[in-house]
Amino acid sequence: MAHKVLLEGASLVKCFGGMQAVNDVSFQVRSGEMLAVIGPNGAGKSVLFSLISGLLRPTAGTVFFQGEPLSGLPPHRISRKGLARTFQHTALFEELQVVHNLALGYQKRTRSGYWDTLWRNARWRDDQDRLQRKVLAVLESIGLTAKATHTVGTLSQVEQRRLAIGMALISEPALMLLDEPTGGLIQEDTDAITRLIRTIHATGIAICLIEHKMRMIMDLADRIIVLNHGRKIAEGRPAQVAADESVIEAYLGKKRDA
Ligand SMILES: Nc1ncnc2c1ncn2[C@@H]1O[C@H](COP(=O)(O)OP(=O)(O)OP(=O)(O)O)[C@@H](O)[C@H]1O
Ligand SMILES: [Mg+2]
């Protein structure tokens, strides 16, 4: 089992005007690890993910992925390097079918260019075959095979969450960033998504997970980092973090546990 560092954030800072949303945060994620990022509302968790995925540029500090600095790369280039992300508020194409959403997620993995597509040549056909196989495989693993040709807007909330995870999965990432994948879901659906995350993790994909549901985190995470007012206030194994005074304090009166 490899334990090399996959992702590293070095002294990351993000300011919005005078407000420091992320304040000197450093962390590492090792390959195959499941790291949870927790903290009260507004702690800077989603902003941290945006710094990693390239949606926002850090005011200071650097993100390294597989030893390479990602600084300044646009999100699609970062995604192509094997770093996929889901959003707190899902970003799906509602009017399109499930399969078409997934196919769009796979575009960046295909090799054929403009001329290949125009001539429908061997490379293009090869890509189409790979695309089809990949979409079917992902549909299966996210449990949406029966909904393949349904329009996304007609899916239930939990099915849309499955699809959002599928969109990340189809880009064949080494690391997935999941921002509150079960936010707003009832317990039964939360459990189903938890099982899906566990299954994906078991295939060797490292996962960074933002969640408010402590029971789920305690159950899933190898390690936890805690943010409060943009700063990392604790880090460690779930049991360590749960017993940490500063963490308990940060959560007092603010807990949004399910
Ligand atoms: N694009 C932006 N412009 C200005 N301020 C922002 C922007 N994005 C986030 N913020 C602010 O940065 C702080 C951290 O926000 P962030 O979304 O990271 O919180 P969070 O930890 O994800 O909270 P939650 O648990 O509610 O999702 C908040 O005060 C938020 O209002
Ligand atoms: Mg958030």
Side-chain angles (χ1 to χ4, degrees):
M1 185 69 194
H3 290 296
K4 69 176 176 33
V5 175
L6 195 57
L7 177 74
E8 177 167 10
S11 308
L12 291 171
V13 175
K14 183 63 188 179
C15 300
F16 295 112
M19 201 267 292
Q20 294 212 309
V22 171
N23 193 347
D24 196 23
V25 171
S26 298
F27 65 93
Q28 294 185 333
V29 184
R30 293 173 182 280
S31 59
E33 194 177 24
M34 173 102 67
L35 176 78
V37 180
I38 68 168
N41 296 124
K45 305 179 298 294
S46 295
V47 170
L48 182 67
F49 271 21
S50 292
L51 297 179
I52 298 167
S53 65
L55 208 63
L56 293 172
R57 267 167 181 256
T59 307
T62 312
V63 177
F64 297 91
F65 186 61
Q66 293 174 324
E68 260 182 90
L70 297 180
S71 317
L73 288 183
H76 70 274
R77 296 273 307 279
I78 291 176
S79 149
R80 208 179 293 159
K81 287 181 182 293
L83 210 166
R85 173 189 188 172
T86 67
F87 290 88
Q88 190 166 353
H89 307 287
T90 47
L92 300 169
F93 301 96
E94 297 243 335
E95 328 76 61
L96 297 185
Q97 293 177 14
V98 169
V99 276
H100 295 143
N101 270 263
L102 289 173
L104 285 169
Y106 193 64
Q107 290 297 305
K108 52 185 163 290
R109 284 285 163 188
T110 54
R111 292 166 303 137
S112 51
Y114 175 78
W115 291 107
D116 302 317
T117 304
L118 192 63
W119 299 116
R120 303 268 198 267
N121 64 12
R123 182 183 289 180
W124 179 84
R125 276 195 306 274
D126 199 41
D127 270 347
Q128 292 304 302
D129 289 349
R130 285 201 305 147
L131 170 65
Q132 197 169 32
R133 278 198 306 273
K134 191 70 198 176
V135 167
L136 290 174
V138 170
L139 275 174
E140 181 78 33
S141 48
I142 60 175
L144 288 183
T145 306
K147 298 287 169 97
T149 57
H150 289 228
T151 309
V152 170
T154 67
L155 298 182
S156 71
Q157 204 185 11
V158 66
E159 287 167 343
Q160 293 198 14
R161 298 305 174 82
R162 287 180 179 280
L163 179 57
I165 292 172
M167 298 277 285
L169 192 58
I170 202 162
S171 70
E172 299 174 344
L175 172 67
M176 283 174 71
L177 308 175
L178 305 176
D179 194 345
E180 295 199 39
T182 72
L185 296 181
I186 60 168
Q187 190 60 49
E188 185 189 347
D189 293 340
T190 298
D191 293 343
I193 296 291
T194 304
R195 283 195 297 275
L196 175 59
I197 294 171
R198 208 192 288 284
T199 308
I200 291 169
H201 183 235
T203 67
I205 298 174
I207 292 178
C208 268
L209 176 70
I210 295 177
E211 260 301 343
H212 284 284
K213 293 174 176 163
M214 293 306 286
R215 219 181 318 153
M216 175 185 172
I217 289 298
M218 291 294 159
D219 212 33
L220 274 179
D222 296 314
R223 215 150 50 80
I224 299 178
I225 67 173
V226 188
L227 299 184
N228 192 28
H229 298 301
R231 286 192 174 275
K232 186 173 85 176
I233 60 165
E235 171 166 15
R237 302 217 159 264
Q240 272 175 294
V241 165
D244 188 300
E245 285 296 330
S246 56
V247 176
I248 295 165
E249 205 170 297
Y251 270 97
L252 272 183
K254 293 182 184 173
K255 206 162 166 185
R256 218 177 70 178
D257 201 352

